[in-house]
Amino acid sequence: MEKKTFNATNLVCQFQTTSERLDNDGCLNGVISRTDDGFRFEEAVKAKSVRRNPKLYDGKYCSLVHRQDGKYQIHMKTIQASKSLDRSMLAFDVYSEILNAFNVID
């Protein structure tokens, strides 16, 4: 990598955000180009995150999502296992939550 220093140059910055101040050690993505007057930096547009599978139900043990292909999918959450875990009660609680999740579909 070759480093160059341009002394006494003019840098014009165009930000996408309304903040005019860049924090120390802050970083922006964008394009820097050379102009007749000096340099110009244009901040890149921040991509918006797209939620692909919206969560329709979010319970203690499971969640229900609606996939892009129109199908519904149940996701089981991590269960902390212990010796004092009442498996019958856990199974009933999970079953009850799945029923509640499917009631959201109508």
Side-chain angles (χ1 to χ4, degrees):
M1 175 189 310
E2 183 181 340
K3 294 183 179 182
K4 290 187 179 183
T5 302
F6 297 94
N7 295 322
T9 59
N10 184 24
L11 175 64
V12 176
C13 298
Q14 182 177 354
F15 299 111
Q16 295 292 332
T17 59
T18 58
S19 174
E20 296 177 4
R21 190 173 145 238
L22 181 61
D23 295 331
N24 289 346
D25 298 325
C27 183
L28 296 173
N29 290 326
V31 176
I32 191 164
S33 55
R34 191 162 190 171
T35 64
D36 293 337
D37 298 331
F39 292 91
R40 178 179 180 83
F41 173 78
E42 296 174 282
E43 183 182 9
V45 176
K46 292 177 175 54
K48 294 180 181 176
S49 62
V50 178
R51 295 198 63 167
R52 293 187 171 207
N53 298 329
K55 198 177 281 189
L56 300 177
Y57 178 85
D58 190 21
K60 182 178 178 182
Y61 300 107
C62 69
S63 60
L64 175 72
V65 296
H66 190 195
R67 295 176 15 164
Q68 287 181 332
D69 61 5
K71 296 178 183 176
Y72 296 93
Q73 187 172 26
I74 292 280
H75 292 262
M76 294 302 298
K77 296 183 178 180
T78 304
I79 298 170
Q80 184 67 32
S82 66
K83 292 188 179 200
S84 63
L85 180 69
D86 183 1
R87 294 177 186 207
S88 298
M89 193 63 192
L90 174 66
F92 180 75
D93 289 344
V94 170
Y95 170 75
S96 298
E97 248 189 41
I98 292 173
L99 284 178
N100 289 334
F102 283 130
N103 285 334
V104 172
I105 295 173
D106 281 338

